[in-house]
Every structure is written in structure tokens, then in C-alpha cells.
Amino acid sequence: MNNKRVSDIKRAQKESLLLKTISKLFLEATMDNKNLSSFYVNRVSLSPDKSKVDVYFCATGGSDEFAEKIHQLKLYKPSLRAALAKEISSRYTPDIVFKFDTCQEKTNRIEQLLEDLKDKGDL
């Protein structure tokens, strides 16, 4: 039971390190690409076997913009993975999978609904 807790802590630390490193590398890699300037890394999720990391992006244009520009984003995958391998000290470098983060859109929608209620005086 105690080992499970330790592995959860290690997973969280690894995800935190991956988030920090991938965010930095993504910013550096796409500085000259104005098409991806509205993208930012919101969170990462490491697979149970640690062989894959899902990188969740948000875009100011929403999911439509993400779907439109995902092919450009995928062009950076090999160089991001190679840079990630150099940055982190790990036996294996996880495969990177880009996904759109719908959590941010849901949060924005809830905030908008609350603002609407506040303006009507119901809240």
C-alpha cells in the first residue's frame, strides 16, 4: 500500500518535470513560427507504463484552430522528443502525443455562464 503512494508521487514528479521541460522546449522551438504563437502547453499526462506522454494544448482559437494547425505542430515532434531526451535524465524518452485540452474550454464556458448570471443579478 505504501509503495503505491510512492509510485504516485514519483509519477506526479515526472509529469511535473515533463510539463516544465516540454513547455520550455515548445516555446523555444516555435518562437519563429507565428502560426503556432497562439498555442500553449496546458498539461501533460504520462501513460501507466511511462512509454507515452500526452501533451495537452490550448489555443486561443479553440479546438477549430487546433484541428487546423495540428499538422504543423506534428512537424516539431521529432525535434521536441530529441531535445527532451537531452534535457531529462531518464533511461527512456516517452513518445509524445499532441492533444487538444477541452478542460480549458469547459472552464471558460462555466466562467462565462457565471458572469452572465452575475450580470442578471441572480448570483
Side-chain angles (χ1 to χ4, degrees):
M1 182 163 159
N2 205 11
N3 286 337
K4 178 70 173 162
R5 177 113 172 98
V6 170
S7 68
D8 288 343
I9 291 170
K10 287 182 180 180
R11 173 175 300 286
Q13 289 173 338
K14 179 92 172 192
E15 285 180 345
S16 177
L17 174 65
L18 288 169
L19 175 63
K20 180 179 159 186
T21 307
I22 290 171
S23 295
K24 182 185 86 158
L25 292 172
F26 176 74
L27 275 172
E28 291 172 358
T30 59
M31 279 184 139
D32 59 338
N33 188 341
K34 299 298 178 195
N35 289 332
L36 297 177
S37 63
S38 64
F39 282 43
Y40 61 93
V41 178
N42 197 35
R43 63 187 173 102
V44 298
S45 177
L46 196 58
S47 67
D49 64 354
K50 299 179 185 171
S51 66
K52 180 181 80 163
V53 62
D54 294 328
V55 180
Y56 291 91
F57 283 88
C58 286
T60 55
S63 59
D64 293 335
E65 181 185 11
F66 183 79
E68 184 180 300
K69 296 181 180 179
I70 185 71
H71 66 280
Q72 292 178 22
L73 189 59
K74 287 181 181 180
L75 295 174
Y76 288 96
K77 182 178 174 177
S79 59
L80 275 175
R81 189 161 186 251
L84 183 63
K86 289 179 183 176
E87 288 282 325
I88 61 172
S89 56
S90 180
R91 179 176 282 177
Y92 302 106
T93 304
D95 187 34
I96 300 172
V97 178
F98 300 129
K99 295 185 176 185
F100 181 72
D101 193 1
T102 57
C103 292
Q104 189 65 36
E105 282 188 338
K106 290 176 185 176
T107 302
N108 292 342
R109 180 69 183 138
I110 291 170
E111 287 176 358
Q112 183 61 43
L113 289 171
L114 289 172
E115 283 297 318
D116 292 346
L117 287 173
K118 192 173 166 183
D119 291 342
K120 290 180 182 178
D122 294 339
L123 190 64

